[in-house]
Amino acid sequence: MTAPTLPGLEPAAPTPVAVPRPGSRAARMALPRSVDVLKEIAAEYGVCVRPLAMRRTDLDTGLTEVIDLPCGATREDKCAPCAKKNRRLRQAQIREGWHRDDEPLPPPEPATEEQKALILFRAHLEFSRDEAIRAAEWGQVEELDEGIREVEEAITAEGLRGRVGPPHAGVDEDADDDTGRRRKRSTKRRQDAPELPRRKVERRTVGRTYTAADGTTYRPSMWLTLTLDSYGPVRPDGTPVNPDRYDYRRAAWDAVHFPRLLDRFWQNLRRCEGWNVQYAGCVEPQRRLAPHAHFAIRGTIPRDTLRTVAAATYHQVWWPAVDVQQYTADRPPVWDEDAAAWVDPDTHQPLTTWTEALDAIDDNPHAEPVHVVRFGTQVDARGVMPGTTDAERTIRYVTKYITKHTGDVHKATTDRQRKHLDRLWRELRVTPCTDRCANWLLYGVQPKKAHAKLKPGRCKGKVHQRDTLGIGGRRILISRDWSGKTLSDHKHDVRAWVRALLGTTTDSGAADNTRQLVDDQGDTVERVRHAWELARPDDPDVGPLSHRLMRSISERARWRSELLAAKDRAAQGSTDLSATQHNARHDGEEGDSGRGFDHRAGRGPDQHE
Ligand SMILES: [Zn+2]
Ligand SMILES: [Zn+2]
């Protein structure tokens, strides 16, 4: 206990670690804020901390209920519980597809009432979004976009294939450029690439089985890491030995076009191997801040083949030259309303249009691509046997960073590292991201579909942002016939298992509100007659976030103990441990916090956190 000191009478002597006077402001500030604790507990229980409130009206009774949908964020800093849930689903997805020995073929089914209701709901959201845009309620638009994404996942989980409509600008993560109709261009160039054998690609996606002398069969799979080329020697901390000679320009362009290079690799590999090779993996920054990619591959491929294909694979970028930066963000070209074109600020001459620039490339028999991306010589590949701890460890490794922003994977902690990041970023800021990038204006070229609103040199594209390190697109890459399921399907599996275990069809897990949307009872239950709309945060029945969180936590806690009891009963009874149960134990949202939950089940070969 410290005796209270009167103000002005504190001893001048050096106060050791100052314990704030009880009751003082400092003491109060040292106490944890209850709202923070609430969020912490929510995270422990896997309850979304920024739920989206939806109002559901029963059309028969007129009863209205506000239901929280999880936000579905994939990054920890937005919502840790949702990000973790997402990671576990990814792990399940990788695990299921990796060693499967039959071809994944999703069965088509007729549309159910539930599916129709979802599509209708999706339509309502579309309408509200349009209204919100007209009213310039951007916060609302953002929320609706989240809602749309969630509903589309639910739609997929309901077994409908394809997208209801194209994504709205700003919603789509891929920000895929639309090089679409490619111009016919000379293929005479780049004959220095080694020739690859070409075979007809079979529809098979499953690897070969090997039989040992004792009759045991093995179906090994692979693990592959692909890296980019060297831009100059680096130290163990990832920074260049000689920053002035490090090729930042090439590093930036390579990072931006890395996804294309990976696409080419899989194309080439399939052609070379003659079967439809499947993969699941992710793109992460290395310590030197260049992207690399890890993949689980189904089946085995000789290491030599992987190396040869990697060495032979390249991606040419046929864009206008960027040797001379004619303008800067401070002295940019200007938009001329009459000419409907970007013009030089002094001469008022229009800049070269995109079409003119590409025509010039086509007409020049000696034209070279402005950039060629290739892999580095480091290609790591090894075999992994199904069901081993090695396989599980690998899956965890693949998904380790997916809840983090690219920029947060390797934090710059020293001056050298900060400078390295700065230099790379400076280059990325002026690297064109797509054919519509506003940065083209710096090089005296009007991008494709140029318009008055472009900000020369200040393109908003993701790759130009400091924390993306030029890795602007999707970081999780999963081939189409990997598990035959989408992420939402895996989510659905987990729920189906939980329901089966509890032996109920009721809403015992009401905290997980998407259940309301994806209930698969179809026509065996009474038809769904609900209207959905987005609740506004200031609606009186929505209630403060803290109240909603507390409700969800309490529901989740009760649900969890109910599930535990059911699991214990199941452990004593049936010995049938289905594959879905295996997944759910590791990946289900009910396993979120650990808390001894996993271990209570006490079954299965692998125990992890
Ligand atoms: Zn969330
Ligand atoms: Zn751009």
Side-chain angles (χ1 to χ4, degrees):
M1 278 295 280
T2 26
T5 333
L6 286 172
L9 291 181
E10 290 97 341
T15 26
V17 189
V19 179
R21 180 178 55 80
S24 68
R25 182 169 183 278
R28 281 200 310 277
M29 296 309 281
L31 295 172
R33 293 200 316 160
S34 50
V35 62
D36 291 339
V37 177
L38 186 61
K39 287 198 172 178
E40 212 172 285
I41 295 174
E44 267 178 46
Y45 276 89
V47 168
C48 173
V49 295
R50 41 193 286 277
L52 185 70
M54 304 295 303
R55 172 168 299 105
R56 190 182 69 169
T57 309
D58 186 317
L59 297 180
D60 295 333
T61 65
L63 196 74
T64 285
E65 211 182 336
V66 174
I67 285 168
D68 285 334
L69 286 186
C71 73
T74 56
R75 300 278 184 262
E76 246 170 20
D77 57 356
K78 272 191 143 184
C79 176
C82 286
K84 280 189 190 147
K85 184 150 89 180
N86 180 67
R87 172 163 62 194
R88 268 189 308 278
L89 289 167
R90 287 298 187 193
Q91 289 175 341
Q93 193 178 21
I94 294 174
R95 189 179 297 118
E96 267 192 39
W98 204 357
H99 300 290
R100 65 178 296 144
D101 48 12
D102 58 330
E103 297 293 345
L105 292 173
E109 278 155 24
T112 62
E113 278 301 308
E114 191 72 27
Q115 290 168 338
K116 288 181 199 157
L118 275 170
I119 298 280
L120 185 66
F121 176 40
R122 171 68 182 80
H124 289 329
L125 285 179
E126 189 62 38
F127 179 81
S128 312
R129 187 185 192 274
D130 191 53
E131 274 195 322
I133 285 183
R134 262 180 259 195
E137 291 173 347
W138 304 114
Q140 190 81 348
V141 172
E142 214 170 280
E143 280 185 34
L144 281 162
D145 279 344
E146 298 253 13
I148 287 175
R149 200 162 47 80
E150 186 74 22
V151 174
E152 291 200 336
E153 277 200 8
I155 289 173
T156 318
E158 272 297 313
L160 292 174
R161 254 183 285 175
R163 255 184 166 141
V164 198
H168 292 284
V171 186
D172 198 19
E173 276 231 321
D174 310 337
D176 238 337
D177 71 35
D178 54 353
T179 26
R181 308 288 77 75
R182 234 167 236 165
R183 345 190 97 227
K184 201 173 159 4
R185 59 177 74 107
S186 151
T187 45
K188 296 190 299 260
R189 318 216 57 87
R190 309 302 325 176
Q191 267 145 22
D192 48 331
E195 283 287 310
L196 283 173
R198 262 179 169 246
R199 282 183 234 173
K200 198 170 172 301
V201 180
E202 291 173 37
R203 293 190 58 185
R204 173 168 71 92
T205 72
V206 172
R208 200 173 301 144
T209 307
Y210 298 87
T211 311
D214 66 353
T216 326
T217 56
Y218 298 96
R219 192 186 295 276
S221 283
M222 295 205 82
W223 167 243
L224 171 74
T225 298
L226 293 166
T227 36
L228 282 165
D229 209 349
S230 165
Y231 310 114
V234 290
R235 302 173 173 221
D237 69 353
T239 65
V241 173
N242 185 342
D244 293 331
R245 278 205 238 128
Y246 192 83
D247 196 342
Y248 283 100
R249 156 78 70 94
R250 205 154 54 85
W253 279 75
D254 277 6
V256 171
H257 296 279
F258 190 50
R260 288 292 141 87
L261 184 66
L262 292 174
D263 281 350
R264 299 265 153 162
F265 174 80
W266 295 112
Q267 256 172 39
N268 290 345
L269 186 66
R270 284 171 180 163
R271 283 192 192 133
C272 182
E273 274 284 289
W275 53 286
N276 193 2
V277 182
Q278 299 296 306
Y279 57 87
C282 66
V283 175
E284 304 289 5
Q286 290 177 286
R287 200 162 277 280
R288 63 173 179 154
L289 307 184
H292 68 163
H294 305 298
F295 289 105
I297 303 178
R298 180 149 78 233
T300 48
I301 293 160
R303 253 176 254 208
D304 277 349
T305 309
L306 291 170
R307 290 220 174 86
T308 315
V309 174
T313 298
Y314 59 87
H315 173 66
Q316 297 161 294
V317 185
W318 288 97
W319 277 350
V322 289
D323 303 327
V324 188
Q325 191 182 319
Q326 301 166 26
Y327 305 98
T328 61
D330 302 326
R331 188 189 157 271
V334 291
W335 175 258
D336 182 329
E337 198 57 60
D338 298 331
W342 285 87
V343 300
D344 184 282
D346 304 327
T347 68
H348 290 275
Q349 281 300 307
L351 309 188
T352 315
T353 65
W354 187 254
T355 318
E356 287 166 355
L358 288 199
D359 286 347
I361 298 173
D362 289 349
D363 295 343
N364 176 2
H366 305 291
E368 294 271 353
V370 65
H371 187 72
V372 180
V373 205
R374 288 176 184 285
F375 291 112
T377 47
Q378 200 196 332
V379 176
D380 293 326
R382 59 184 172 83
V384 178
M385 292 305 281
T388 57
T389 47
D390 185 28
E392 277 304 317
R393 201 171 41 232
T394 309
I395 290 169
R396 283 204 302 278
Y397 182 68
V398 176
T399 52
K400 188 166 169 196
Y401 294 119
I402 65 172
T403 61
K404 294 207 182 307
H405 278 289
T406 317
D408 292 338
V409 174
H410 303 293
K411 275 272 181 221
T413 50
T414 64
D415 270 353
R416 284 188 67 90
Q417 286 172 329
R418 275 185 286 270
K419 272 199 189 118
H420 179 50
L421 173 58
D422 265 347
R423 279 177 177 243
L424 178 63
W425 182 45
R426 231 176 294 150
E427 197 60 52
L428 283 166
R429 279 167 74 189
V430 296
T431 306
C433 60
T434 62
D435 47 9
R436 296 192 184 193
C437 180
N439 288 358
W440 282 113
L441 294 169
L442 300 181
Y443 304 98
V445 175
Q446 303 191 53
K448 190 172 171 181
K449 308 235 160 110
H451 55 87
K453 292 212 177 102
L454 295 174
K455 299 225 162 41
R458 300 226 164 87
C459 171
K460 292 238 173 68
K462 270 190 172 180
V463 307
H464 309 300
Q465 289 159 25
R466 192 184 159 99
D467 64 355
T468 64
L469 307 172
I471 306 170
R474 248 176 221 287
R475 273 166 58 204
I476 298 286
L477 307 168
I478 295 187
S479 59
R480 237 188 46 203
D481 299 314
W482 178 253
S483 60
K485 289 176 182 175
T486 64
L487 196 57
S488 327
D489 294 342
H490 288 282
K491 220 184 242 179
H492 201 54
D493 278 359
V494 171
R495 292 200 190 107
W497 169 74
V498 169
R499 272 201 297 265
L501 192 71
L502 288 171
T504 57
T505 52
T506 58
D507 234 2
S508 42
D512 180 11
N513 295 305
T514 43
R515 177 189 325 278
Q516 310 283 356
L517 294 176
V518 297
D519 199 320
D520 60 354
Q521 299 309 306
D523 30 65
T524 59
V525 203
E526 69 274 29
R527 288 156 304 131
V528 181
R529 283 289 174 265
H530 287 129
W532 292 80
E533 63 188 326
L534 192 77
R536 296 182 178 246
D538 51 358
D539 284 354
D541 55 345
V542 169
L545 179 65
S546 51
H547 291 180
R548 290 155 59 202
L549 283 184
M550 284 191 274
R551 259 197 321 262
S552 294
I553 292 170
S554 154
E555 273 163 356
R556 177 63 57 108
R558 268 182 287 145
W559 178 54
R560 202 175 259 184
S561 49
E562 211 178 312
L563 192 68
L564 264 175
K567 267 189 171 174
D568 280 346
R569 280 199 301 276
Q572 285 150 20
S574 135
T575 50
D576 169 45
L577 188 76
S578 69
T580 6
Q581 179 170 354
H582 172 93
N583 290 330
R585 199 173 63 246
H586 297 298
D587 312 304
E589 45 243 17
E590 73 278 15
D592 275 0
S593 71
R595 302 198 139 207
F597 185 75
D598 288 351
H599 311 288
R600 285 285 294 277
R603 315 253 232 95
D606 24 27
Q607 298 269 341
H608 19 90
E609 70 277 22

